[in-house]
Amino acid sequence: ILQLLFFHLSLRRKGLTTYQYIIKLNETNRIKAKHQRQINDRRAHHIKKANEEGNSWEKMKLVVGGWKGCGCIDPIRKEMKEEDEAAKVAAAKAASRRSEMESINN
């Protein structure tokens, strides 16, 4: 019961109701599940491509990279991380351009 009390006190400190917390948690879980599906789909595609090309080394990296604890050698996660970083940089540049345009217009 004490744990529940501290949980609700922390929610109150953050300005969230229990309902808002649950909605936020579900949203986070949906995003994680979608991301994992994208990884799995991309992995299946790359494994199929490696099979067709007869590239057993690449296939092994893809399969082992999908195991828990082996993410450091996973080419799929590395590729997606680079794409995410590139998207963040592009978004920051776009925001910078927007603010420059707003300052010029004002």
Side-chain angles (χ1 to χ4, degrees):
I1 295 179
L2 194 59
Q3 184 179 11
L4 187 61
L5 174 67
F6 283 121
F7 171 70
H8 280 88
L9 287 174
S10 72
L11 287 181
R12 178 165 287 210
R13 203 172 315 128
K14 294 176 186 176
L16 293 173
T17 64
T18 308
Y19 178 76
Q20 290 169 329
Y21 171 78
I22 291 170
I23 295 299
K24 196 176 211 180
L25 183 64
N26 285 340
E27 174 82 17
T28 302
N29 289 340
R30 273 195 301 275
I31 290 169
K32 286 180 183 178
K34 181 180 177 185
H35 189 259
Q36 189 59 48
R37 278 192 307 273
Q38 289 173 339
I39 289 171
N40 292 344
D41 291 346
R42 195 176 284 196
R43 184 178 316 285
H45 172 74
H46 283 278
I47 288 174
K48 181 179 177 185
K49 185 177 173 184
N51 270 337
E52 290 170 355
E53 295 172 354
N55 191 343
S56 58
W57 177 249
E58 185 66 20
K59 180 183 174 186
M60 185 199 69
K61 285 193 318 186
L62 289 162
V63 171
V64 172
W67 297 346
K68 286 190 178 191
C70 295
C72 60
I73 64 165
D74 188 4
I76 300 299
R77 289 183 194 275
K78 182 179 178 185
E79 183 179 287
M80 291 184 81
K81 184 178 179 182
E82 290 169 355
E83 289 172 3
D84 289 345
E85 289 171 0
K88 286 178 186 176
V89 168
K93 285 181 181 178
S96 175
R97 276 186 252 136
R98 275 195 304 272
S99 66
E100 288 175 10
M101 293 301 289
E102 288 174 0
S103 66
I104 291 171
N105 291 334
N106 292 331

